[in-house]
Amino acid sequence: MSDPLLVVRNLRVEFGAFTALHDISFDVGPGETVGLVGESGSGKSTLARALLRLLPAAGGQVVWRGENLLAMGAADLRRRRRDLQIVFQDPMASLNPRLRVGDTLAEPLKMFEPALSGEARATRISAMLERVGLSADMARRFPHEFSGGQCQRIGIARAMMPQPKLLICDEPVSSLDVSIQGQIVNLLADLQRDLGTSMLFISHNLAVVRHLSHRVLVIYRGRLVEVADRAALFAQSAHPYTRALLAAVPDPTHAFAGRALTTGDEPSSSPRSTGCSFHDRCPHVQPVCVGVVPPLEAVAPRHLVACHRWREVVYPKAP
Ligand SMILES: Nc1ncnc2c1ncn2[C@@H]1O[C@H](COP(=O)(O)OP(=O)(O)OP(=O)(O)O)[C@@H](O)[C@H]1O
Ligand SMILES: [Mg+2]
């Protein structure tokens, strides 16, 4: 394996007294799509924003190609930001309604490739609109003239315009009609395959994550609880929370509906300073789970689980 592009180490984010992310560590390799799944409020968007310094981290490192983004000055950060782009959940809200689509797509080019002529910019914009399944003449139109799915194609085009090396997609399809979701997911899969862009693909929809990801991170109440290659995650998950998520979708290959996967009705945002964050919903709970935060440990090569009782989860004793 070549060196990872992105290495996240012990990333921590606090909102006042509430810790939204605890010691998050993972990496993303070149050309790799890493899925991030977890129910609403688990910290997925917070993670996306902290990686890009759209909100401040309370600790840890975000190392991009060997340099810690969290320790960088504003000018250096702006230059690196070309490589890391984001697609947001709500495509309408993330586009400036007063800008023609062509002007929206020109912005990243003006910022990152200021030497480009107006003509060269227009050529790049036309090519990108066609690349995302729209047509070049749409550059003259305004966002309100487009459907939700088309707006998300524009959002993806804007993010891809500066030729990023990592695309962070924060629930890019969950606000769209189910019939449109598959088309956008396929577009992202095509871009990933053709351009080799790495992706961090955030969703609470396991079917979509399964379709796109080489590797999957499972987050629960601000902690990573399982990290595994796609096949291992879907066939041999070892964390009770992951198993609960999988059990909530009988056939994750066909469940494209953006359904929230919860296994209980307690809000997932309640703070937990001690013990496993899943202990109060876990069928395998023991006293150790209440008192001690389980570390992420390797249960197999490339398969990490934070559970004191993963052996019992994977190899249940006969009754
Ligand atoms: N600016 C903020 N101030 C205070 N708390 C916040 C802020 N942003 C997020 N939170 C809290 O942090 C936790 C994680 O929120 P986040 O939006 O990252 O979750 P999420 O996994 O993206 O959820 P969803 O699937 O609903 O998008 C939640 O408890 C949320 O209420
Ligand atoms: Mg979110």
Side-chain angles (χ1 to χ4, degrees):
M1 275 270 300
S2 37
D3 287 346
L5 279 177
L6 178 73
V7 178
V8 178
R9 286 292 166 261
N10 303 316
L11 181 64
R12 188 177 178 85
V13 173
E14 294 166 358
F15 296 116
F18 173 67
T19 302
L21 295 178
H22 302 259
D23 297 326
I24 300 286
S25 298
F26 65 96
D27 46 41
V28 180
E32 187 181 30
T33 298
V34 173
L36 174 64
V37 288
E39 65 200 51
S40 186
S42 54
K44 304 181 298 297
S45 299
T46 300
L47 177 57
R49 286 164 194 272
L51 294 180
L52 299 174
R53 277 180 60 179
L54 300 175
L55 56 79
Q61 297 190 325
V62 175
V63 179
W64 174 254
R65 306 173 92 196
E67 296 178 297
N68 184 6
L69 298 179
L70 302 188
M72 231 172 235
D76 283 338
L77 180 67
R78 218 170 12 251
R79 271 194 295 279
R80 301 310 181 284
R81 279 282 275 109
R82 175 178 185 171
D83 285 345
L84 300 106
Q85 294 292 317
I86 184 163
V87 175
F88 294 101
Q89 169 168 0
D90 184 345
M92 301 273 192
S94 71
L95 296 174
N96 184 338
R98 285 183 296 273
L99 283 189
R100 292 180 198 276
V101 166
D103 293 328
T104 288
L105 299 187
E107 275 184 344
L109 290 180
K110 287 181 181 164
M111 181 173 331
F112 296 116
E113 298 180 54
L116 219 57
S117 70
E119 196 183 341
R121 256 200 318 270
T123 308
R124 286 268 293 276
I125 290 167
S126 302
M128 183 56 77
L129 282 170
E130 283 167 10
R131 185 70 195 73
V132 300
L134 299 170
S135 58
D137 60 298
M138 290 178 170
R140 288 195 306 275
R141 300 211 220 146
F142 288 93
H144 69 84
E145 299 176 59
F146 293 93
S147 67
Q150 287 174 320
C151 281
Q152 197 54 300
R153 289 177 194 272
I154 297 165
I156 293 167
R158 177 182 54 187
M160 293 304 291
M161 216 59 228
Q163 301 172 306
K165 296 186 171 62
L166 176 71
L167 188 64
I168 298 178
C169 299
D170 187 1
E171 307 257 14
V173 300
S174 46
S175 73
L176 304 175
D177 283 353
V178 174
S179 59
I180 308 296
Q181 291 184 7
Q183 297 173 17
I184 299 294
V185 167
N186 288 336
L187 168 64
L188 290 168
D190 290 348
L191 289 170
Q192 204 279 333
R193 191 196 54 224
D194 298 347
L195 305 175
T197 316
S198 300
M199 270 189 210
L200 179 64
F201 187 88
I202 298 174
S203 181
H204 56 253
N205 185 324
L206 280 167
V208 172
V209 166
R210 182 182 200 162
H211 186 70
L212 284 173
S213 310
H214 301 113
R215 213 147 47 89
V216 181
L217 314 172
V218 183
I219 189 171
Y220 183 73
R221 285 181 183 152
R223 294 184 199 270
L224 288 185
V225 297
E226 186 155 10
V227 178
D229 287 338
R230 167 177 52 187
L233 191 97
F234 285 92
Q236 287 142 6
S237 61
H239 197 285
Y241 176 62
T242 312
R243 293 198 162 199
L245 279 182
L246 292 169
V249 187
D251 180 358
T253 49
H254 294 113
F256 255 114
R259 186 150 50 113
L261 299 167
T262 53
T263 52
D265 44 23
E266 198 199 333
S268 31
S269 53
S270 51
R272 286 272 172 304
S273 51
T274 61
C276 171
S277 46
F278 193 56
H279 74 76
D280 51 346
R281 287 161 72 179
C282 183
H284 303 276
V285 64
Q286 296 276 300
V288 65
C289 310
V290 181
V292 181
V293 177
L296 265 181
E297 57 176 333
V299 303
R302 298 175 56 80
H303 189 167
L304 302 174
V305 173
C307 174
H308 293 297
R309 307 204 66 226
W310 67 267
R311 287 176 189 80
E312 285 87 347
V313 175
V314 177
Y315 312 109
K317 294 191 182 71

